[in-house]
Amino acid sequence: MSCTTILVGRDASYDGSTIIARNEDSCFGEFDPKRFVVVKPADQPRAYTTVQSHLTVALPDDPLQYTAVPNADLHIGEWGEAGVNEANVAMSATETITTNERVLGADPLVEYVPAKGAEGEDGYEPAVPGGLGEEDFVTVVLPYITTAREGVERLGALLEEYGTYESNGVAFSDANEIWWFESVGGHHWIAKRVPDDCYVTMPNQLGIDEFDLDDAFGAQQDCMCSADLREFIARNHLDLSVEGLSAFDPRSAFGSHSDADHVYNTPRAWYMQRYFNPYDEVWDGPDADHKPTGDDIPWARQPERKITVEDIKYVLSSHYQGTEYDPYGTLGTEATRHLFRPIGINRQNHLAVMQIRPYRPQVNRAVQWLTYASNPFNALVPFFPNVDDTPAYLRDTTTRVTTENMYWENRIIAALCDAQFAETSAAVERFQQKMGALGNRIVAAADARVDELVGADAQAEEKLDEQYEADDISEDIEPMEPADIIAAVRNADVRAALEQANNEMAAQLKDGTDDLLNSVLYTVSMKMRNGYNRSDN
C-alpha cells in the first residue's frame, strides 16, 4: 500500500500538539472506498482472524473504544488505518516501506502458504498461516494501549510472535511524544522517538537514519527494538557504518536503495522538506544540497517555522507545485512533468491528521482531521474521536458510486477537476479555505461548550496562561494516569456535545461539497468537445 507520512513533534507544531498524519493510497489500478467509524468494546473481536494471511490471534478481553477508517468493502480485510482510542492515543498504520535482499534472506517475511492437495489424500499439505500486516494492525493494537510507547511494545511483541508478511512503518502518539516503528524482515523491528522540535517525512522507504543501540538495550529513552536485534545485525553482517566515522544507520543496513526509489520515494521527501526548510539549504539546481533522487535526505529535521495543520494538508496534497515536476504545471517539459510520483495522487483513499492537544482537558483534547479521495481536490476537516457515533456522510460509504457519501462525491470532483485543472482550481481553493476556516470555528465552539460542561479548572487555566507568556504551550495542563483519562473521556454529556459538533461539520461539508460539485460540473461541461457556442434561444 503506497502512502506518505508526516510526523510533527510538539515543539515543532503551531500549538504544542503532537501531530501524526498519513495519506492512505491504494495500489495501482484500485480504489478502496473508506468509512469513518467508532468501534465500541462490545464490537471488538476477542478472536481475530486475518483475511490476507488466515492467521487467528486471541485478543484481550478489555478493549478500549476507538475510531478507525476501515474499507467499505471487507473482502480483503478491515484495514482500519488510523484512529484515536479512549486513552487519547493515536495510531497510523501503515506506511509501506522497502527493505533489501540481505535482510529478507536473514529473516524472511511470513507469508501465507495455501494447502496442497485435498485433505485425506496422499501428499496433502495443510495451509500455513502467514503473519500480521497493514490489514490488521489497528484492530489488534490500538484498543489495548494507553500510551504511544505501549503501542510500540505491543506491536513489537506481536511481530516477534507471529511475524509479518510485509514491511511497514507505524506511528503512535499521545500528548507527550511520538514514536515511529519500522519492521525489519519477518520478525524484527526498530522504533525511534520523534524529537520534540522536529518533523519527520516518510515516503514508502525505511526511514530512520540514525539509531542508538545502546539506548535501545538500556534506558530506551529514544530507541527501542526487537530483543535480539544486536545479534541479528552482527550475525548477518548488516551494519554498514565505518568504525569511528558514522553511527549505526538503519536506512543503510535495512533499507533499499534502488533506482525505483529515486522516482517513487525520495522526490516526495525532497519536496516536503523543501517546503518546511526553504532557506536552510539549496534545493534546486546542480549545486543543490539535496536532490529529488538523493539517498541522504534526513529522516527528521527542525523546521524553519512552526508547522500547522494547513501546512500538512498542503504538502500531503502536493504535486511538486513551483517546480518542473508538476504534472499540472507549465515549467519544464512534458517528460519532467511526469518524471516523479506526486504526493497528492489520483488513487488516494483518505488522509488522517491526528492531533493531541495538551492545552485542552483530557475529555476533548484529541481531534482527528479527515478527508477522502484525491487530496489536491478535497478539504481536510476536523472531527472529535471520543464520541459514540460518526456522521453518516463519512460512515455509510457504499461500494456503489453515489454523491450521497463523502468518499464518492470527492472522487467524482477529483476526476472532473483533473481534466480541467486550471479552470477549476480557483473554485477548489475557495472550497478548501472555506471548509478549513469553518472547521477551526467548529472546534473552537466545541471547546467552549466542553468548558461549560466540565467547568474551568482554575489551576489548569493558570498553568496555560504561564505557558502562553513563556511561548511554550506543549506542556500538559491536565496530566492524568491512563485510567483517569479513560474515565474522563467517557463523560456522556461531553460525548453528546462533541457528536453534535461532528454532525454540524459533516452537514456543512456536505453542503459545501455539493456546491463545489455543481460548480466544477458546469465548468467542465462547458469544455466538452461537442460544445457549440451559438445559443438555441
Side-chain angles (χ1 to χ4, degrees):
M1 189 69 69
S2 53
C3 307
T4 308
T5 292
I6 295 178
L7 316 173
V8 183
R10 58 186 183 175
D11 293 335
S13 74
Y14 73 107
D15 68 342
S17 297
T18 56
I19 303 175
I20 61 176
R22 179 175 59 93
N23 291 339
E24 181 205 1
D25 304 336
S26 62
C27 297
F28 180 73
E30 297 179 6
F31 292 139
D32 294 309
K34 304 301 293 189
R35 305 170 60 230
F36 179 43
V37 301
V38 171
V39 182
K40 298 180 179 180
D43 299 324
Q44 176 71 3
R46 270 49 175 184
Y48 172 78
T49 300
T50 70
V51 174
Q52 301 284 308
S53 59
H54 305 271
L55 171 71
T56 298
V57 178
L59 297 177
D61 199 35
D62 56 347
L64 299 176
Q65 179 174 296
Y66 64 102
T67 53
V69 193
N71 286 359
D73 185 344
L74 300 179
H75 78 283
I76 60 170
E78 191 76 18
W79 299 79
E81 297 298 322
V84 182
N85 70 19
E86 291 179 293
N88 284 331
V89 178
M91 179 180 180
S92 174
T94 72
E95 182 77 25
T96 305
I97 58 177
T98 53
T99 187
N100 62 60
E101 296 89 335
R102 292 173 293 111
V103 169
L104 297 178
D107 182 13
L109 298 173
V110 184
E111 299 178 331
Y112 171 67
V113 180
K116 294 182 180 179
E119 189 172 0
E121 295 182 353
D122 290 341
Y124 168 71
E125 296 180 15
V128 179
L132 295 164
E134 180 173 349
E135 168 203 347
D136 320 302
F137 285 165
V138 166
T139 303
V140 300
V141 175
L142 185 56
Y144 311 104
I145 59 176
T146 60
T147 66
R149 184 180 291 263
E150 282 185 12
V152 171
E153 293 168 345
R154 176 165 175 80
L155 181 55
L158 287 168
L159 291 199
E160 289 181 42
E161 181 176 0
Y162 298 106
T164 182
Y165 55 84
E166 58 188 359
S167 299
N168 282 305
V170 179
F172 298 96
S173 65
D174 54 36
N176 298 310
E177 56 185 10
I178 301 171
W179 281 85
W180 178 249
F181 178 109
E182 295 181 331
S183 62
V184 178
H187 299 84
H188 293 85
W189 57 274
I190 59 174
K192 188 167 182 177
R193 186 183 187 275
V194 175
D196 291 339
D197 62 349
C198 290
Y199 69 95
V200 164
T201 55
M202 283 296 306
N204 288 132
Q205 279 184 295
L206 195 141
I208 298 174
D209 53 8
E210 187 172 336
F211 193 79
D212 187 342
L213 286 165
D214 290 336
D215 180 44
F217 286 96
Q220 297 187 342
Q221 182 175 342
D222 297 305
C223 298
M224 289 190 277
C225 65
S226 46
D228 67 338
L229 187 71
R230 186 169 259 154
E231 293 81 358
F232 175 70
I233 293 168
R235 184 171 60 251
N236 295 287
H237 314 288
L238 297 174
D239 187 356
L240 303 183
S241 60
V242 178
E243 187 175 356
L245 296 180
S246 57
F248 176 62
D249 178 1
R251 188 188 294 175
S252 295
F254 307 139
S256 66
H257 306 283
S258 69
D259 293 337
D261 285 328
H262 299 152
V263 172
Y264 198 83
N265 295 325
T266 56
R268 285 182 277 159
W270 170 82
Y271 189 81
M272 288 186 282
Q273 295 193 18
R274 183 180 187 268
Y275 177 85
F276 290 123
N277 292 80
Y279 306 115
D280 281 352
E281 297 181 347
V282 176
W283 295 97
D284 300 296
D287 298 323
D289 297 300
H290 297 292
K291 296 182 179 181
T293 56
D295 289 320
D296 60 346
I297 299 171
W299 174 71
R301 70 186 305 160
Q302 188 174 14
E304 291 178 19
R305 61 170 178 81
K306 298 292 182 74
I307 295 174
T308 68
V309 171
E310 292 76 30
D311 290 326
I312 293 170
K313 173 63 167 76
Y314 180 84
V315 295
L316 290 182
S317 304
S318 62
H319 38 87
Y320 305 115
Q321 298 96 307
T323 77
E324 61 184 315
Y325 312 118
D326 183 358
Y328 299 112
T330 57
L331 301 176
T333 65
E334 188 65 20
T336 62
R337 288 194 287 272
H338 295 88
L339 186 59
F340 299 136
R341 186 259 205 216
I343 299 171
I345 201 168
N346 63 326
R347 49 190 166 83
Q348 243 121 37
N349 296 331
H350 90 284
L351 162 61
V353 180
M354 288 166 288
Q355 178 183 16
I356 313 296
R357 306 177 294 165
Y359 54 88
R360 289 298 303 160
Q362 296 282 359
V363 69
N364 82 317
R365 63 174 43 183
V367 182
Q368 185 165 349
W369 299 74
L370 194 67
T371 190
Y372 293 152
S374 185
N375 282 349
F377 311 103
N378 58 27
L380 183 69
V381 293
F383 296 95
F384 292 98
N386 285 315
V387 293
D388 290 327
D389 201 2
T390 50
Y393 185 49
L394 291 88
R395 182 195 64 219
D396 295 341
T397 306
T398 62
T399 55
R400 176 179 61 86
V401 178
T402 172
T403 59
E404 292 308 305
N405 60 63
M406 178 181 167
Y407 175 86
W408 287 115
E409 192 163 22
N410 279 354
R411 178 70 68 201
I412 293 167
I413 288 170
L416 292 169
C417 291
D418 178 87
Q420 299 292 338
F421 183 84
E423 290 80 4
T424 60
S425 60
V428 171
E429 289 174 8
R430 286 194 299 270
F431 163 73
Q432 291 171 334
Q433 186 175 56
K434 179 180 178 180
M435 290 298 107
L438 176 63
N440 279 285
R441 289 199 300 273
I442 287 177
V443 168
D447 287 349
R449 176 61 180 145
V450 168
D451 289 341
E452 292 176 0
L453 290 171
V454 301
D457 185 311
Q459 187 175 0
E461 289 292 333
E462 182 179 349
K463 187 175 183 180
L464 184 58
D465 288 341
E466 292 174 356
Q467 292 184 49
Y468 280 128
E469 290 176 6
D471 195 26
D472 176 13
I473 53 175
S474 64
E475 187 178 351
D476 193 337
I477 67 163
E478 192 179 60
M480 288 183 179
E481 293 299 315
D484 297 323
I485 296 173
I486 295 164
V489 303
R490 288 178 176 172
N491 182 311
D493 291 337
V494 171
R495 282 193 171 179
L498 298 180
E499 194 168 315
Q500 182 178 359
N502 287 352
N503 287 330
E504 180 184 353
M505 182 71 257
Q508 298 269 18
L509 178 63
K510 173 68 169 129
D511 288 344
T513 307
D514 286 349
D515 289 344
L516 178 62
L517 178 58
N518 289 339
S519 172
V520 301
L521 180 60
Y522 177 84
T523 299
V524 174
S525 295
M526 292 301 101
K527 295 289 185 177
M528 290 175 64
R529 295 183 184 183
N530 63 350
Y532 191 69
N533 64 4
R534 180 175 176 177
S535 173
D536 294 329
N537 294 330

